[in-house]
Amino acid sequence: MNYNFDEIIARKGSNSYKWDVSDKQNFLPMFVADMDFKTAPEIIEVLKKRVEHGVFGYVKVPDNYYKAITDWFLTKHNWQTNQQDIIYTTGVVPAISAIIKASTTLGDKVLVQTPVYNCFFSSIRNNGCEIISNILKVNNNHYEIDYEDFEEKASDPKVKVFLLCNPHNPAGRVWTKEELQKMGNICLKHNVFVISDEIHCELVFPNQKYTPFASINEQFALNSAICTSPSKAFNIAGLQIANIHTKDKKIREKIDKAININEVCDVNPFGVEALQAAYRHGEKWLEQLNKYLYNNYLALKIFFETEFSQLPFTQAEGTYLAWVDCSKLKMSGKEICNKLMDQQNILLNNGEMYGLGGESFIRINFACPSKTLEDGIQRMRIFFKNIL
């Protein structure tokens, strides 16, 4: 079956955070990380059946839910995770917050690799912890890890947690097994617990391979909590479903307690049904989606490299988020995004949101039909020509 990713869905007026954040006419949002495609029809059909039932009370998560997860990760990613290792919750951000709460005390430090997903910062601060940045290095428009700095930071006795983004948002890196091993071994050496946000794990480009951090060896599995969700890959973020995987019984009990303290222990029936449909029947849709996203990525890459080579375009390996260095414009990412909105009515993310190393960057969400992307490229073309 061929799926139609060219279809333009009118999202304005649907109470979409992405599309209804502005009342301006001809507004084009390419910022918040959800997609402008309908989810897989196999998911829609399952949800229709659930709606027809007509009763939407509290849900008991069935064994089939866990089996869908474990089967998917075993067959697709060669990762053996078990039902008893999994805690469900409403989203990856609440999951991260709960795990930090379970694995730190007030005043502890949490290591992150900036520029990185901005919600990491609020999850750390809200738990009374301090952010420590291992700033990623850029080599030929490709991000790499500064291992010397990483180990220096990890060796601080106050650093209790390393918050990993795998694949990385916004740098687009799909970390290799070797890179993950090196970071994991440093964390083991210095007794640093690893929390890995793997929400973008299904969104990888051709010839790239996602490696679940906990799949590498038993020691890593016992020294980590992995956060997964079908929400990004299948565009079902609004259904509020995610999972935490951890093998260590003691830390799992602490996380479960934190989930309940924060009252994010109840999920909705639609999320439960959608996850099972995605992991049971969504693989072909996902394969075609990734090809489409890769073509969009290439279109943006060609645009910047041929027309605005002064603005280095980060070489990515996954996600649907482009990351562009605008330091030559002598403006902050925030200034650039404000001007783009004022002059071209296009909303992007400014790089300052993502911490140290992101100040002069912009982030572009290219998960949209190609015609929408063409519209965005034309608006950016006009803007950057005027600026440069």
Side-chain angles (χ1 to χ4, degrees), residues 84-104:
Q84 66 266 24
D85 300 337
I86 299 171
I87 301 169
Y88 58 78
T89 186
T90 55
V92 164
V93 174
I96 290 168
S97 295
I99 303 165
I100 293 173
K101 187 180 188 71
S103 52
T104 64

Side-chain angles (χ1 to χ4, degrees), residues 55 66 147 170:
V55 179
Y66 298 101
Y147 290 107

Side-chain angles (χ1 to χ4, degrees), residues 329-385:
L329 301 182
K330 305 300 181 185
M331 290 187 287
S332 70
K334 186 174 184 179
E335 289 176 288
I336 294 163
C337 288
N338 287 342
K339 287 179 182 291
L340 272 163
M341 185 62 184
D342 290 341
Q343 296 175 23
Q344 293 298 323
N345 215 9
I346 180 172
L347 184 55
L348 310 179
N349 285 118
N350 82 78
E352 291 179 67
M353 296 170 58
Y354 306 100
L356 297 175
E359 295 85 354
S360 64
F361 283 75
I362 57 172
R363 193 187 79 165
I364 306 165
N365 177 350
F366 55 84
C368 57
S370 59
K371 283 191 176 179
T372 304
L373 181 63
E374 288 168 16
D375 181 13
I377 285 174
Q378 178 59 16
R379 296 185 197 209
M380 288 186 281
R381 178 181 286 118
I382 294 167
F383 175 79
F384 289 124
K385 274 187 177 178

Side-chain angles (χ1 to χ4, degrees), residues 2-3 6 69 98 100 119 135 148 156 176 178 181 198 211 216 224 226 241 245 298 300 326 336 380 385:
N2 289 321
Y3 300 98
D6 287 324
I69 297 167
I100 293 173
C119 286
I135 304 173
E148 185 177 343
D156 181 346
T176 65
E178 291 71 28
Q181 280 181 314
E198 304 194 355
T211 302
I216 294 173
S224 66
I226 313 302
I241 195 76
H245 310 246
L298 291 178
L300 263 179
C326 298
I336 294 163
M380 288 186 281
K385 274 187 177 178

Side-chain angles (χ1 to χ4, degrees), residues 16 25 85 123 135 151 207 235 237 249-250 258 262 282 290 368 371 375 378:
S16 161
Q25 294 298 311
D85 300 337
S123 289
I135 304 173
E151 178 147 24
N207 303 315
N235 205 27
K249 187 173 184 292
K250 287 183 180 178
N262 291 339
N290 275 325
C368 57
K371 283 191 176 179
D375 181 13
Q378 178 59 16

